[in-house]
Amino acid sequence: MAETEAALRTLAHNVRAARTRAGLSLDELGRRANVSKGALVALERAQGNPNFATLVRLADTLGVSVSALLEGPPEGRVRVVTADTVEPLWVGEQGSEARLMLTTSGAAPVEVWRWRLQPGEEYPSHPHQAGVVETISVTSGQMVLVADGTEHPIQAGQTATFDANVPHTYRGAGHDTCHLIMTVHLPPGPTA
């Protein structure tokens, strides 16, 4: 429980700081991100419980990575993250999940995700801001990437990349669980 409260306080601080840097009022951020002002007020008071889609919309609108909203200050030069210590940001009804492992630093950060997709289960994503590129490397199983209405089967050992400013969906395919590593390449953002 204390970890959850600390994570909410970090999220509240990071959203408020990014909103202030961007020069956005609560009303304007809410309008641009399609999030209610009440939800934003609660979030900035560490009382909210935003879902994954809300976090992505806020990050896109603020021009930062999702992990920039979730993480505290860096702990050192080398950071090792174990998947089991990272809470999933999305869990499907059939056991699929997505975990944001880390985000690199620098002017154009890269998010590193671990996904598990059960056969037939899917995650639809809204278009991201212009300049966001996603890369998917399937390590086992198979999936279908639907980008802007076109299906692209991806099997173990294959990697695909696409401009993520279009509607896109990740769907487990075949008979076995699909495991993949996804990177989200973010365009250079405002300096902190």
Side-chain angles (χ1 to χ4, degrees), residues 52 55-56 59-60 63-71 89 99-105 108-115 128-129 132-135 170 181-186:
F52 177 48
L55 290 175
V56 170
D60 280 350
V64 299
S65 66
V66 173
S67 63
L69 298 179
L70 297 172
E71 294 176 349
L89 290 178
R99 294 174 192 254
L100 175 57
M101 300 303 296
L102 59 86
T103 300
T104 63
S105 59
V110 176
E111 296 176 349
V112 179
W113 293 78
R114 286 186 177 268
W115 284 73
H128 299 297
Q129 64 178 317
V132 173
V133 175
E134 293 189 9
T135 301
Y170 317 109
I181 302 295
M182 178 179 73
T183 58
V184 180
H185 304 262
L186 303 165

Side-chain angles (χ1 to χ4, degrees), residues 35-43:
V35 176
S36 74
K37 181 179 178 181
L40 287 174
V41 168
L43 179 62

Side-chain angles (χ1 to χ4, degrees), residues 1-14 46 70-72:
M1 189 67 139
E3 287 179 9
T4 301
E5 290 173 5
L8 283 173
R9 284 192 305 275
T10 298
L11 176 62
H13 173 268
N14 292 344
L70 297 172
E71 294 176 349

Side-chain angles (χ1 to χ4, degrees), residues 3-189:
E3 287 179 9
T4 301
E5 290 173 5
L8 283 173
R9 284 192 305 275
T10 298
L11 176 62
H13 173 268
N14 292 344
V15 168
R16 188 171 36 259
R19 179 177 63 77
T20 301
R21 277 193 311 272
L24 297 174
S25 67
L26 285 167
D27 287 324
E28 185 62 15
L29 175 58
R31 185 187 67 73
R32 291 184 186 185
N34 195 26
V35 176
S36 74
K37 181 179 178 181
L40 287 174
V41 168
L43 179 62
E44 287 194 5
R45 291 182 177 163
Q47 298 168 342
N49 187 15
N51 63 28
F52 177 48
T54 299
L55 290 175
V56 170
R57 285 195 312 272
L58 287 171
D60 280 350
T61 302
L62 293 166
V64 299
S65 66
V66 173
S67 63
L69 298 179
L70 297 172
E71 294 176 349
E75 297 173 8
R77 293 179 65 102
V78 175
R79 195 168 123 207
V80 177
V81 180
T82 303
D84 292 344
T85 64
V86 176
E87 288 296 317
L89 290 178
W90 171 72
V91 177
E93 292 180 7
Q94 298 171 29
S96 298
E97 66 178 29
R99 294 174 192 254
L100 175 57
M101 300 303 296
L102 59 86
T103 300
T104 63
S105 59
V110 176
E111 296 176 349
V112 179
W113 293 78
R114 286 186 177 268
W115 284 73
R116 181 177 68 216
L117 290 171
Q118 299 301 337
E121 191 160 35
E122 64 182 35
Y123 178 81
S125 179
H126 73 284
H128 299 297
Q129 64 178 317
V132 173
V133 175
E134 293 189 9
T135 301
I136 298 167
S137 295
V138 175
T139 58
S140 67
Q142 53 189 314
M143 66 167 290
V144 174
L145 165 66
V146 183
D148 207 16
T150 303
E151 294 190 0
H152 305 273
I154 307 170
Q155 312 235 354
Q158 293 182 320
T159 298
T161 189
F162 66 101
D163 293 329
N165 61 341
V166 297
H168 50 284
T169 299
Y170 317 109
R171 182 184 321 128
H175 301 289
D176 298 316
T177 301
C178 176
H179 294 270
L180 62 105
I181 302 295
M182 178 179 73
T183 58
V184 180
H185 304 262
L186 303 165

